[in-house]
Structures are given as structure tokens and as C-alpha cells.
Amino acid sequence: MIQTRLGVVESQFADIVWSNAPLSTKELVELCEKELNWKRTTTYTVLKKFCNRQIFSMNKQTVTVLITKEEFQAMQSEQFVQDTFQGSLPAFIAAFTTRKTLSQKELEEIKRMVESFE
């Protein structure tokens, strides 16, 4: 299982890659320098961690995405529900809605989603 927990800075880095991939390592270094104030070595170190986690790939100085942002977020959500609610989506929804009232639009959207799974 891919580790789905990211720190704030790791999330910013991942968003840069997801927003610009495929891109050259040179372009990535320039973006990270501009947006995160990182040196080249820091960019390569963090990129290597993401490649080891099989989220991104680097081949011939080109960085590509192995897992899309949407897929990664789905994995994070699944892991959160598993870790916090023993995998029970109804328990998560019950906990979520005790502090937040859903709008009519949100309720209708959820109903459509549930009906599409039946």
C-alpha cells in the first residue's frame, strides 16, 4: 500500500508536479525554486521520495505521474475511513454530519451517487 500521508510542503510539491506533468527535471527545479524557495538538491531529494513511493516517475530527466491527484485523494480518503472508522463509510458520514448540516444540493448529489452504485 502506498503511503498516503503528506505534509504541507510535500502536498505543495505534489501539486506542482500534478499541475505541470509531464515536465523536465529542469522545469521542476525552476518551479520549486520559484514557488517553494528550494534548491535543486532539495527538489531532487523530495522527487526521489515520491518516485520510491511510486507516485511519480523520473525517466531520462522527465517527470511523469504514476498516480493522478484524484486517485491519490481517493486512496487518502479510503485510508482515513479505514484508520478512523474501522472502514465504515456510514460511521464516517454520521460523524461528519453531526457538526455540518448538508445542503439540499449536497443531499441530492449524494443520493445520485448512491443510486449510481445500485
Side-chain angles (χ1 to χ4, degrees):
M1 161 90 32
I2 292 173
Q3 183 198 9
T4 59
R5 296 183 197 266
L6 297 180
V8 173
V9 177
E10 284 181 317
S11 293
Q12 292 171 335
F13 173 83
D15 283 338
I16 290 170
V17 176
W18 280 318
S19 297
N20 295 284
L23 73 162
S24 70
T25 52
K26 181 179 188 249
E27 291 170 316
L28 181 58
V29 166
E30 290 170 356
L31 286 169
C32 288
E33 182 178 0
K34 177 183 171 192
E35 295 185 29
L36 302 172
N37 200 29
W38 284 2
K39 298 200 181 301
R40 181 185 62 80
T41 53
T42 304
T43 299
Y44 276 98
T45 298
V46 175
L47 176 60
K48 183 178 179 181
K49 289 179 183 179
F50 275 86
C51 290
N52 289 341
R53 291 163 70 178
Q54 299 180 336
I55 298 170
F56 303 137
S57 175
M58 183 178 63
N59 187 14
K60 298 180 183 178
Q61 282 75 45
T62 300
V63 179
T64 56
V65 171
L66 297 176
I67 298 174
T68 66
K69 183 176 184 175
E70 293 75 17
E71 291 169 327
F72 189 79
Q73 288 172 330
M75 292 167 65
Q76 282 181 313
S77 299
E78 290 169 14
Q79 191 64 50
F80 176 77
V81 171
Q82 183 61 45
D83 293 346
T84 310
F85 300 96
Q86 293 73 46
S88 172
L89 187 57
F92 165 75
I93 292 171
F96 183 83
T97 56
T98 60
R99 293 182 47 103
K100 182 185 185 306
T101 303
L102 298 176
S103 70
Q104 189 61 39
K105 182 180 176 184
E106 290 171 320
L107 287 170
E108 289 170 9
E109 187 175 344
I110 292 169
K111 285 178 188 177
R112 280 193 300 274
M113 290 172 64
V114 170
E115 288 170 358
S116 74
F117 295 125
E118 293 182 322

